[in-house]
Amino acid sequence: MLINGKEISKQIKEDIKKEVELLKEEGKRVPCLAVILIGDDPASQVYVRNKIRACEFVGMKSMTISKDASFTQEELLALIDSLNKNEEVDGILVQLPVPDHIDEQAIIEAIDPSKDVDGFHPSNIAKLVLNEDGFVPCTPQGMMCMLDAINYDLDGKEVVVVGRSNIVGKPVSLLCLHRNATVTIAHSHTEYLRDVTKRADVLIAAIGKPKFFDSSYVKEGAVVLDVGMNRDENNKLCGDVDFDDVVDKVQAITPVPGGVGPMTIALLMSNTLKSYKAR
């Protein structure tokens, strides 16, 4: 089974669009997402454009603030402070990575946790650890939605997450734990990685190595969620999983592109609406 992230994310955005249209009909302010882009990284520019398009699709207001790479940390902190105080802004997102002279963690911590729609602020991470209501990082949250879409119950299942980043690996591990899965976090220092991943009922691949996981790493009938976004030897987009080699062995798998990626932006819209409702 192919887990179609494009279709699932489209339905999420359609539902949000209906809610925003109702707000407009009632004469209310619509949700607003502020996106800050520092520098001219091409990939970041693409991501920001996609977020703006998603806002337009669901009917939200987007505020894009672009600054060149010389923009200082002090100036950025002042900008974030002004957005924190702006009652018309519901979500604040600083597109990462930022230039080297800016302390990324200091920027994340400067965002009001109630507007932290990326879910990266320590306050929201703490709520995730404690299984309290807060903002959850969009990519891990999107993966849970994908499992829900195929009616997959994690209770009692063995999940192996390969990757321990603060953005994907650690948060998705916690989300799976909250659903009563048995979770193993593997990484670049894991010995006998193949033996570990072959135990997984659900394999979450998030290491950034193109087509690293072939069928020898995957259990028969497993569910595979591929977070990777790489270029193969022919410069085509591919994931961390060798899709063609694995697809016939598994119960369900996400493609790249068209899998986990679209879910991230859909959940960003969802988090922005959630922030709006809480204001």
Side-chain angles (χ1 to χ4, degrees), residues 31-35 51-52 55-56 60-64:
C32 174
L33 173 66
V35 180
K51 289 163 186 174
I52 294 169
C55 285
E56 291 172 351
M60 290 184 184
K61 180 180 178 183
S62 64
M63 181 187 300
T64 307

Side-chain angles (χ1 to χ4, degrees), residues 1-4 143 146-147 150 152 154 158-160 162 197-198 200-206 213-215 217-228 239-243 245-256 259-260:
M1 178 196 308
L2 200 65
I3 310 177
N4 192 325
M143 285 188 273
M146 298 180 101
L147 292 174
I150 63 170
Y152 190 88
L154 282 173
E158 184 158 6
V159 176
V160 174
V162 189
T197 60
K198 284 180 73 174
D201 299 305
V202 178
L203 174 61
I204 298 174
F213 298 98
D214 60 26
S215 60
Y217 283 85
V218 180
K219 177 182 178 180
E220 185 83 33
V223 172
V224 177
L225 303 180
D226 190 350
V227 188
D240 292 348
V241 177
D242 188 340
F243 182 90
D245 191 53
V246 169
V247 64
D248 292 332
K249 189 175 183 179
V250 298
Q251 173 185 340
I253 186 170
T254 60
V256 177
V260 175

Side-chain angles (χ1 to χ4, degrees), residues 2 17 41 56 72 90 136 153 162 170 202 223 269:
L2 200 65
K17 184 177 183 179
D41 179 72
E56 291 172 351
T72 67
D90 302 291
V136 177
D153 186 0
V162 189
K170 292 175 186 176
V202 178
V223 172
M269 299 298 103

Side-chain angles (χ1 to χ4, degrees), residues 125 128 136-137 140 164-176:
I125 296 297
L128 176 57
V136 177
R164 52 182 169 175
S165 73
N166 293 333
I167 295 173
V168 177
K170 292 175 186 176
V172 78
S173 301
L174 290 165
L175 290 173
C176 292

Side-chain angles (χ1 to χ4, degrees), residues 10-272:
K10 183 179 179 182
Q11 186 57 58
I12 292 171
K13 288 187 289 185
E14 288 284 0
D15 292 342
I16 294 170
K17 184 177 183 179
K18 290 176 184 175
E19 288 199 54
V20 174
E21 286 174 351
L22 185 59
L23 292 172
K24 291 178 179 178
E25 290 173 7
E26 294 173 349
K28 296 180 179 177
R29 179 180 71 84
V30 299
C32 174
L33 173 66
V35 180
I36 302 171
L37 175 63
I38 310 297
D40 55 2
D41 179 72
S44 292
Q45 291 175 341
V46 171
Y47 295 145
V48 168
R49 280 199 300 271
N50 289 341
K51 289 163 186 174
I52 294 169
R53 288 188 188 122
C55 285
E56 291 172 351
F57 179 82
V58 301
M60 290 184 184
K61 180 180 178 183
S62 64
M63 181 187 300
T64 307
I65 304 167
S66 298
K67 301 292 182 180
D68 62 38
S70 65
F71 200 62
T72 67
Q73 179 166 316
E74 291 71 24
E75 289 173 317
L76 180 53
L77 289 171
L79 173 58
I80 291 170
D81 183 58
S82 69
L83 294 172
N84 285 340
K85 295 172 180 175
N86 188 337
E87 295 182 0
E88 300 292 308
V89 172
D90 302 291
I92 302 170
L93 183 156
V94 178
Q95 183 64 47
L96 303 177
V98 290
D100 291 341
H101 66 276
I102 295 175
D103 182 344
E104 185 174 294
Q105 191 58 35
I107 298 309
I108 290 170
E109 293 183 15
I111 297 171
D112 182 340
S114 71
K115 297 186 178 187
D116 169 41
V117 288
D118 258 338
F120 296 161
H121 192 281
S123 174
N124 283 314
I125 296 297
K127 288 181 178 180
L128 176 57
V129 172
L130 298 170
N131 200 18
E132 295 179 355
D133 185 48
F135 290 112
V136 177
C138 300
T139 300
Q141 193 178 357
M143 285 188 273
M144 295 301 102
C145 291
M146 298 180 101
L147 292 174
D148 290 340
I150 63 170
N151 297 312
Y152 190 88
D153 186 0
L154 282 173
D155 196 312
K157 298 296 194 300
E158 184 158 6
V159 176
V160 174
V161 181
V162 189
R164 52 182 169 175
S165 73
N166 293 333
I167 295 173
V168 177
K170 292 175 186 176
V172 78
S173 301
L174 290 165
L175 290 173
C176 292
L177 278 174
H178 297 331
R179 294 190 179 202
N180 299 317
T182 299
V183 181
T184 298
I185 304 176
H187 44 77
S188 59
H189 291 247
T190 300
E191 292 187 353
Y192 310 112
L193 178 62
R194 184 180 281 105
D195 293 337
V196 175
T197 60
K198 284 180 73 174
R199 299 197 312 259
D201 299 305
V202 178
L203 174 61
I204 298 174
I207 59 170
K209 293 184 178 180
K211 299 183 180 180
F212 179 86
F213 298 98
D214 60 26
S215 60
S216 69
Y217 283 85
V218 180
K219 177 182 178 180
E220 185 83 33
V223 172
V224 177
L225 303 180
D226 190 350
V227 188
M229 185 65 72
N230 313 292
R231 294 279 177 178
D232 66 12
E233 62 278 3
N234 299 314
N235 202 36
K236 290 185 178 180
L237 284 174
C238 68
D240 292 348
V241 177
D242 188 340
F243 182 90
D244 292 336
D245 191 53
V246 169
V247 64
D248 292 332
K249 189 175 183 179
V250 298
Q251 173 185 340
I253 186 170
T254 60
V256 177
V260 175
M263 298 298 297
T264 301
I265 291 182
L267 270 298
L268 176 63
M269 299 298 103
S270 179
N271 278 352
T272 303

